[in-house]
Every structure is written in structure tokens, then in C-alpha cells.
């Protein structure tokens, strides 16, 4: 069944186009991450879905109902803001019950629902605490519970975890995903953290300059990015310049890359290869030789910075597999064809 | 930053000058006034030092009770009306783009540059029969003949609100600019209409600012002296008018001092009471 449908949605601020003809269909009950660098229009798009900004063009519909002109308070959505926007003058329980109070639900039912939600976000017994006395993670949970109190049709989150420290953020990502799956609610999260998107999303929508660059399952975006921008944004990658050889194959600094084809009609292109696919060996054994400039041993993985032809690129290896490399060593590097993606510049 | 306690005499040097000014221009005159309020009046002369309560006893008359009550009620009405008008105005102002915001603030500041006398006479002209706004209503066919709207309580209130409004806006403005706009948006996503969101979220978040503003406008309006005289009937005269009357025209300094002391004590008591209520509600 169709959930949220964005039909050619655009937003212009004066002469600046923040969101440019976005077309997206989100299946009901799925978890979508809008991912992109700051200023790419992802927050503006989310705010239009919430009704906090009016689209300059296009239509937004949810489960068949046209929402484009419906004011925010009649859309029946739940939203978690980056600043959380908890009401400081109300207790935890009153914050969560706010949407029910507005709808005139009776007190006993409000209390029941508040307790149910507090249990869901693991804050049992916090109903009477003032919001100011909570830690960052607890406030986060209250904001989530408040947004879900009225069982909204759509759950929107704007960079919800950006204020938390790294460890707590990772734990909350897992928790948020499990909560969403348990409730089966259509959820849209704006984030600039690709790990967050990979952890939680059914569908990752990578945005750049107001447009959707790619919308696909996280692992598909990672393995088959449509262009260099997406490849660079999702995970880390090495972007290296390649030229067309006389035979029509790809040349990297004069070294032929066997089995790698150039895009049609291009003499220059960009090669993208993930650090884990840059394999090391003895000098002369691979595609080219490179000099080791830096070794970052992180324990679980080792990052080896390599330099060839004045360009630095990275290889990531498992410490058990890695050859003994020292800074200054010359080393053989092989780039195997199946892992090489070539994009038009 | 940690403030160290003053160590020696030299550390107190920076406050010597303000302290001296405060002593000469506030403590001494105020002390004199309190002293004079206990002196005895000489009929047809000035006063002789004494210690009598007769000046304070005169308050027990219904006339002074009425004037005092009217002064306080007038100040309360002006304070509440100003805050009620200025809150939505300042809220809208703080959400405007920068340019119109600056224009509005400059216009408000220019009202502050007007003296009370000019405001009083401007309103008395505006509300007069010969040149007032009723003439416009007549020419529009809404009224049969021009009417004088002064002197009246309405005229006094209008001019006092006009005078206090810019202060009210300027006191509220910083708090409203700092107010997190996502609070309102959050309320809307939870189903609150813009009006509900305003009363449920903006007003409680600004509670302390609102209480402080009411107190400020109240104290400001309590000392009002010229406007009730220019635009009101004698029954609309405030205690300040009466004090001047006693001091200047009846040359009864002891009684004028006693009224002034009472006015100060009453305003202090009301301010204290309001802030105490505010603190109690905050703690709950």
C-alpha cells in the first residue's frame, strides 16, 4: 500500500532553490533516511512533509489523502526536532500527554497512555519529573514518546540523535529502529550521518543540491552508487582520475586497469574504489606500486595511507591479514575490476 | 567566572562614586521626606520639627482612601492592558524579517522621546470636539455631530497606555527574540492550532518576563501625574496629583510627604507580593 507520496515537490526561497522537483514514494511502514551534506535541502523537505513550510510547487499525499494544503496541526503527524523542543514548564508526563490533552482525551486514558509510552522508551516512573532534571539521552526518549503519543500516521525526525555522544547515539539508533519496527509506523529521518542511515533505514535517499541523487536500500547505495557524489558520501571511498587508453580501457596514471570500462564517449572519468577493496602485496605484484605515507592502527582495523603520482589514497585491512608495512615502504597495490566503479566526472 | 570577595578598602573604591551619588540624591532626600512626614504643619507657614502621626491619620478619611484605590486600580489597568496588547504585537514583531523589525522599533523609540506634556496635549486635541477624531467619523457618516471625548477615564487610559506601550514592547522584545521557534512548531505537530500553541507554549515559557513587565508598567503608571490632569476629571486624579496639590498649592509639606511615603511603601509591597507569587508558582 502506498504510504507517503512526494510528487514533483519544490521549494524556492527567493532565487535560491532549496528543494528541486523531488519525486519519492515511501511504502507504508517503512523507514526512510534523508541523507546529505548540510544545505542539501533535506531538512526543508522534511519540514514540507510536516507542513511547517509550504511547497512552492508539487503535491504531498499520505495514504491517498492530499496533505499539500492541510495545516500542520491537522496532519496527524509526530515530529522530533533537532533541539527536541520539550516544553520546559511541563513535567515529563505532561509533555507526553500534550497531544492527547489537545485532543480532549480524558485524564485516566491520558495517564494510561503516558505510562505505556514511558515503558516503551524505558523511562518507567519518570512521569512527574521536570524535564530540566533529565540527561540528554532521557530527553531524547521523552521527545520520541511525546511525538508518538497520539499514534500518528507519520513519524518525522530531524537529526534526532546529533546532540548525543557517539556511544549513546549508536545505542539509540538500534533502539529507534526496533521501536519503529514494533509499531510499523512510516518513519522519515533526516541525518547527515551515513552510519546512522545504514543502521536504521529500509530506504536511503541521498540528496545533494536540492535533488535526490539516489534512493535505494542502504547496501545497494553502498555497493552501487550512481555517481561519485553518492559514492563519496556513503562510506569512505578513494576517488582517482582515470583516462581512456588506446584500446578503450581505463588507465590510472598510465597503468591499465584490466576489465574496467570507461563511460561511453568520455576520455576522462573518476574511479571510485572502497578502501577495503584496495589490496596490498609485494612490490610489482599489483596494478601499480605506491609509497606508504602513514599507518593508522585502530586496533580492529588498520588504515594505510598510500601515495602514488602525488595523490594520496587509503587502504583498510584487517590487522591479521595485513602485511608488515612501515612508513616509507614501497608496496604493490591491486585494484580488482569488480570493485572498481567508474563515473563520468 | 569566579568573583573574589573584596580584600581591603581599596577593593571597594569602584563603588565609592555611585554610593556617594545614591546617598546624596536618593537616601538623603528620601530620609528628609520620611522625617518631614512626621513633622507638624504650621497654619499659614511651613512646618516645625516634631513627631506626630496626625499626617498619616488623615489617610483614614474615605476621600484619600478613594484616591489611593483609584491610583492603584488605574496603574493595574494600564499595566494589564499594555502587556495584553504588547505580547501579541511583540511576538509578531520578533517573527518579522529584519528590516520591518528595525523600522517598528525606531518608531516605538520615537514615541519614547515625546514628553508627557506633549503626549497629553496631543491626545486632548485628538479627542476634542473641534479638531478631534469624531470629525472624521462625522465626515464618514458614522456620527451625527462631533463630540468631545475629553475629559474622561477612557482618555486618561488611552494616553497612559500609549505612553507605556513602547516600554512594554522593549522590555519583552529580548525574551521573545530568544524564544525557541521550534517550541511553537512542536506544539503544532502535536495537534495544537496556532492560537492554542501560543497560549500553551509561548505564554508559559514567558511567564517570568510577563510578571516582570506587569510590575514595571505598574510602577511606571502609578507615578503618572500630568495625563490624569490634562485628560481626566478631578475624580480621575491620582495620588501624585494630590501630593503636588498639597505640597505646592496648600504648602502642606508634612501631609504631602506622608502621602509620598505611603505611595512608595504600597508600590514596594505590591511588587514584593507579585514576585513572591511568581516564585511560589515557579517552585510548584
Amino acid at each position: 500500500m502506498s504510504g507517503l507520496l512526494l510528487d514533483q515537490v519544490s521549494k524556492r526561497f527567493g532565487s535560491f532553490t532549496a528543494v528541486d522537483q523531488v519525486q519519492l514514494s515511501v511504502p507504508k511502514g517503512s523507514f526512510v533516511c534523508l541523507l546529505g551534506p548540510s544545505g542539501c535541502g533535506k531538512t526543508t523537505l522534511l519540514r514540507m512533509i510536516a507542513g511547517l513550510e509550504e511547497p512552492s510547487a508539487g503535491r504531498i499525499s499520505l495514504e491517498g489523502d492530499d496533505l499539500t494544503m492541510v495545516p500542520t496541526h491537522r496532519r496527524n503527524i509526530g515530529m522530533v526536532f533537532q533541539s527536541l523542543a520539550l516544553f520546559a514548564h511541563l513535567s515529563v508526563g505532561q509533555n507526553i500527554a500534550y497531544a492527547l490533552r489537545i485532543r480532549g482525551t480524558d485524564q485516566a486514558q491520558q495517564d494510561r497512555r503516558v505510562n505505556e509510552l514511558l515503558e516503551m522508551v524505558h523511562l518507567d516512573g519518570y512521569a512527574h519529573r521536570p524535564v530540566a532534571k533529565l540527561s540528554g539521552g532521557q530527553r531524547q526518549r521523552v521527545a520520541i514518546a511525546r511525538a508518538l503519543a497520539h499514534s500518528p500516521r507519520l513519524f518525522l525526525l530531524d537529526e534526532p540523535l546529533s546532540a548525543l555522544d557517539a556511544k549513546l547515539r549508536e545505542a539509540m539508533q538500534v533502539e529507534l529502529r526496533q521501536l519503529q519496527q514494533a509499531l510499523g509506523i512510516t518513519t522519515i529521518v533526516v541525518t547527515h550521518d551515513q552510519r546512522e542511515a545504514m543502521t536504521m533505514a529500509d530506504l536511503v535517499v541521498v540528496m545533494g543540491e536540492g535533488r535526490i541523487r539516489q534512493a535505494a536500500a542502504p547496501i545497494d547505495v553502498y555497493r552501487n552508487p550512481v555517481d561519485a557524489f553518492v559514492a563519496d558520501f556513503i562510506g569512505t571511498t578513494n576517488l582517482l582520475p582515470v583516462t581512456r587508453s588506446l584500446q578503450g580501457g581505463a588507465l590510472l596514471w598510465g597503468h591499465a586497469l584490466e576489465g574496467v570500462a570507461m563511460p561511453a564517449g568520455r576520455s576522462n572519468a573518476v574511479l571510485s574504489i572502497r578502501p577495503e577493496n584496495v589490496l596490498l602485496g609485494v612490490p610489482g605484484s599489483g596494478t601499480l606500486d605506491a609509497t606508504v605515507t602513514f599507518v593508522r592502527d585502530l586496533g580492529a582495523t588498520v588504515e594505510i595511507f598510500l601515495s602514488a603520482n602525488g595523490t594520496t589514497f587509503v587502504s583498510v585491512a584487517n590487522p591479521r591479514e595485513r602485511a608488515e608495512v612501515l612508513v616509507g615502504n614501497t608496496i604493490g597495490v591491486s585494484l580488482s575490476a569488480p570493485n572498481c566503479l567508474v563515473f563520468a566526472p | 567566572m569566579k568573583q573574589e570577595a573584596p580584600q581591603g578598602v581599596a577593593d571597594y573604591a569602584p563603588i565609592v562614586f555611585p554610593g556617594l551619588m545614591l546617598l546624596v540624591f536618593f537616601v538623603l532626600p528620601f530620609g528628609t521626606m520620611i522625617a518631614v512626614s512626621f513633622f507638624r504643619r504650621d497654619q499659614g507657614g511651613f512646618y516645625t520639627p516634631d513627631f506626630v502621626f496626625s499626617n498619616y491619620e488623615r489617610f483614614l478619611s474615605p476621600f484619600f482612601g478613594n484616591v489611593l484605590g483609584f491610583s492603584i486600580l488605574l496603574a493595574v489597568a494600564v499595566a494589564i492592558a499594555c502587556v495584553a496588547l504588547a505580547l501579541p504585537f511583540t511576538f509578531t514583531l520578533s517573527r518579522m524579517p529584519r528590516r520591518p523589525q528595525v523600522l517598528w522599533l525606531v518608531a516605538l523609540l520615537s514615541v519614547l522621546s515625546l514628553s508627557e506634556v506633549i503626549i497629553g496635549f496631543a491626545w486632548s486635541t485628538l479627542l476634542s470636539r473641534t479638531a478631534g477624531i469624531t470629525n472624521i467619523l462625522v465626515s464618514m457618516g458614522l456620527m451625527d455631530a462631533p463630540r468631545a471625548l475629553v475629559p474622561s477615564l477612557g482618555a486618561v487610559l488611552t494616553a497612559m497606555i500609549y505612553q507605556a506601550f513602547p516600554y512594554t514592547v522593549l522590555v519583552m522584545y529580548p525574551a521573545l527574540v530568544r524564544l525557541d521557534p521550534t517550541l511553537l512548531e512542536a506544539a503544532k505537530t502535536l495537534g495544537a492550532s496556532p492560537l492554542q500553541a501560543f497560549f500553551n507554549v509561548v505564554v508559559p515559557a514567558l511567564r517570568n518576563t510577563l510578571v516582570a513587565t506587569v510590575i514595571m508598567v505598574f510602577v511606571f503608571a502609578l507615578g503618572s501625574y500630568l495625563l490624569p490632569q490634562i485628560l481626566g476629571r478631578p475624580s480621575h486624579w491620582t495620588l501624585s496629583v494630590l501630593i503636588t496639590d498639597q505640597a505646592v498649592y496648600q504648602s502642606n509639606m508634612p501631609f504631602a510627604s506622608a502621602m509620598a511615603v505611603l505611595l512608595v511603601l504600597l508600590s514596594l509591597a505590591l511588587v514584593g507580593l507579585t514576585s513572591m507569587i511568581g516564585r511560589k508558582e515557579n517552585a510548584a
Side-chain angles (χ1 to χ4, degrees):
Chain A
M1 181 176 172
S2 84
L4 180 71
L5 186 69
L6 304 178
D7 186 15
Q8 297 295 313
V9 173
S10 297
K11 178 69 185 178
R12 284 181 289 275
F13 295 106
S15 60
F16 173 70
T17 303
V19 174
D20 194 6
Q21 295 178 10
V22 163
Q23 181 78 35
L24 183 69
S25 172
V26 177
K28 190 175 152 87
S30 63
F31 196 123
V32 178
C33 274
L34 299 180
L35 187 61
S38 52
C40 71
K42 56 191 193 299
T43 295
T44 307
L45 186 60
L46 189 81
R47 288 173 61 82
M48 284 194 283
I49 296 169
L52 299 170
E53 302 278 357
E54 202 180 301
S56 309
R59 283 170 4 94
I60 297 168
S61 60
L62 179 62
E63 291 163 23
D65 305 331
D66 190 343
L67 287 187
T68 319
M69 288 298 147
V70 176
T72 302
H73 63 279
R74 298 217 190 89
R75 289 196 180 192
N76 195 18
I77 53 171
M79 182 158 173
V80 175
F81 290 81
Q82 190 171 7
S83 66
L84 301 185
L86 294 176
F87 305 137
H89 63 285
L90 300 178
S91 70
V92 169
Q94 286 168 327
N95 261 284
I96 295 173
Y98 185 80
L100 303 174
R101 203 180 92 202
I102 287 289
R103 285 165 174 75
T105 316
D106 70 75
Q107 191 63 45
Q109 211 170 330
Q110 281 185 34
D111 292 345
R112 245 196 329 277
R113 182 72 178 143
V114 167
N115 288 330
E116 198 177 296
L117 285 156
L118 282 174
E119 200 176 321
M120 193 171 80
V121 296
H122 311 297
L123 283 176
D124 317 50
Y126 277 68
H128 298 292
R129 303 255 183 125
V131 170
K133 296 270 164 65
L134 301 181
S135 69
Q138 288 169 335
R139 280 168 201 236
Q140 187 67 60
R141 288 156 199 266
V142 174
I144 290 170
R146 184 181 67 174
L148 291 172
H150 50 297
S151 309
R153 291 198 290 178
L154 194 57
F155 188 28
L156 308 172
L157 301 97
D158 183 9
E159 309 242 0
L161 309 176
S162 57
L164 305 180
D165 62 73
K167 258 215 166 97
L168 192 53
R169 189 159 62 226
E170 305 241 317
M172 283 299 288
Q173 288 165 8
V174 174
E175 209 172 297
L176 198 55
R177 172 59 165 165
Q178 287 168 339
L179 184 65
Q180 184 268 339
Q181 282 177 325
L183 297 173
I185 184 170
T186 312
T187 302
I188 298 173
V189 177
V190 160
T191 179
H192 61 262
D193 180 349
Q194 52 94 15
R195 278 179 67 87
E196 199 164 296
M198 302 279 290
T199 309
M200 303 191 294
D202 294 311
L203 178 69
V204 170
V205 177
V206 184
M207 292 184 67
E209 289 162 348
R211 290 173 171 276
I212 292 184
R213 307 300 279 259
Q214 187 170 12
I219 199 67
D220 289 340
V221 178
Y222 187 82
R223 291 198 181 134
N224 299 306
V226 291
D227 58 22
F229 174 87
V230 175
D232 194 30
F233 199 79
I234 302 288
T236 44
T237 194
N238 296 298
L239 296 175
L240 306 171
V242 287
T243 51
R244 180 182 291 274
S245 72
L246 292 173
Q247 294 79 28
L251 279 178
L252 175 64
W253 301 316
H255 305 280
L257 296 166
E258 260 169 62
V260 178
M262 287 290 285
R266 297 276 183 175
S267 56
N268 293 298
V270 177
L271 169 77
S272 163
I273 184 158
R274 301 278 181 200
E276 66 268 26
N277 295 326
V278 176
L279 304 176
L280 307 179
V282 291
S285 67
T287 318
L288 66 151
D289 286 351
T291 314
V292 177
T293 56
F294 190 75
V295 177
R296 172 148 66 182
D297 198 334
L298 295 170
T301 55
V302 182
E303 292 173 15
I304 298 152
F305 290 68
L306 302 157
S307 175
N309 214 39
T311 304
T312 300
F313 55 103
V314 190
S315 165
V316 172
N318 184 317
R320 272 176 306 221
E321 298 168 352
R322 115 180 121 122
E324 274 305 315
V325 286
L326 295 170
V327 172
N329 283 2
T330 298
I331 207 167
V333 177
S334 39
L335 311 172
S336 65
N339 298 320
C340 289
L341 297 167
V342 182
F343 303 113
Chain B
M1 197 176 69
K2 191 177 176 295
Q3 201 79 34
E4 259 180 61
Q7 297 292 315
V9 182
D11 289 349
Y12 287 102
I15 63 162
V16 166
F17 181 70
L20 213 65
M21 297 309 265
L22 204 64
L23 186 76
V24 172
F25 292 106
F26 178 72
V27 178
L28 290 182
F30 198 75
T32 313
M33 193 176 77
I34 294 175
V36 170
S37 73
F38 292 104
F39 289 177
R40 190 177 35 215
R41 186 195 178 198
D42 289 338
Q43 207 56 244
F46 217 40
Y47 50 75
T48 42
D50 203 340
F51 190 75
V52 292
F53 289 96
S54 58
N55 300 313
Y56 287 94
E57 274 160 18
R58 288 184 64 180
F59 293 131
L60 299 176
S61 73
F63 174 70
F64 286 105
N66 281 344
V67 174
L68 186 62
F70 175 77
S71 301
I72 289 174
L73 281 181
L74 184 69
V76 167
V78 169
I80 289 176
C82 268
V83 169
L85 289 172
L87 179 60
F89 175 84
T90 320
F91 179 73
T92 316
L93 184 70
S94 68
R95 296 287 174 275
M96 277 183 187
R98 189 125 198 97
R99 255 186 102 73
Q101 240 185 68
V102 170
L103 285 176
W104 273 106
L105 288 174
V106 168
L108 286 168
L109 282 169
S110 69
V111 172
L112 289 184
S113 74
L114 302 176
S115 83
E116 203 178 344
V117 181
I118 293 176
I119 292 174
F121 283 113
W123 277 105
S124 78
T125 308
L126 272 175
L127 301 175
S128 70
R129 186 179 59 81
T130 45
I133 46 167
T134 50
N135 291 288
I136 299 172
L137 297 178
V138 170
S139 68
M140 284 166 69
L142 295 170
M143 232 181 196
D144 290 331
R147 228 159 33 92
L149 300 173
V150 278
S152 70
L153 181 61
V156 176
L157 274 173
T158 308
M160 285 178 75
I161 290 168
Y162 174 82
Q163 191 193 10
F165 186 75
Y167 287 102
T168 321
V169 172
L170 291 178
V171 170
M172 282 186 187
Y173 181 73
L176 273 159
V177 166
R178 277 199 308 270
L179 186 77
D180 182 1
T182 58
L183 284 177
L184 267 177
E185 294 178 348
K188 284 186 201 162
T189 61
L190 293 168
S193 67
L195 208 64
Q196 278 175 318
F198 182 78
F199 283 107
N200 287 337
V201 177
V202 176
V203 174
L206 292 173
R207 230 187 48 94
N208 289 342
T209 309
L210 292 180
V211 170
T213 315
V214 166
I215 293 176
M216 192 211 73
V217 182
F218 169 77
V219 171
F220 180 78
L222 196 59
S224 156
Y225 159 69
L226 269 173
L227 295 178
Q229 281 192 91
I230 298 174
L231 300 167
R233 297 175 198 283
S235 63
H236 303 140
W237 288 1
T238 53
L239 201 60
S240 307
V241 180
L242 228 58
I243 293 172
T244 320
D245 183 54
Q246 286 294 327
V248 177
Y249 300 107
Q250 319 279 335
S251 50
N252 189 348
M253 277 302 195
F255 184 46
S257 303
M259 283 196 283
V261 169
L262 189 79
L263 193 59
V264 169
L265 289 181
L266 265 168
S267 12
L268 281 180
L270 282 169
V271 169
L273 195 74
T274 319
S275 60
M276 226 167 66
I277 293 168
R279 207 169 311 137
K280 205 172 277 173
E281 276 180 28
N282 256 6

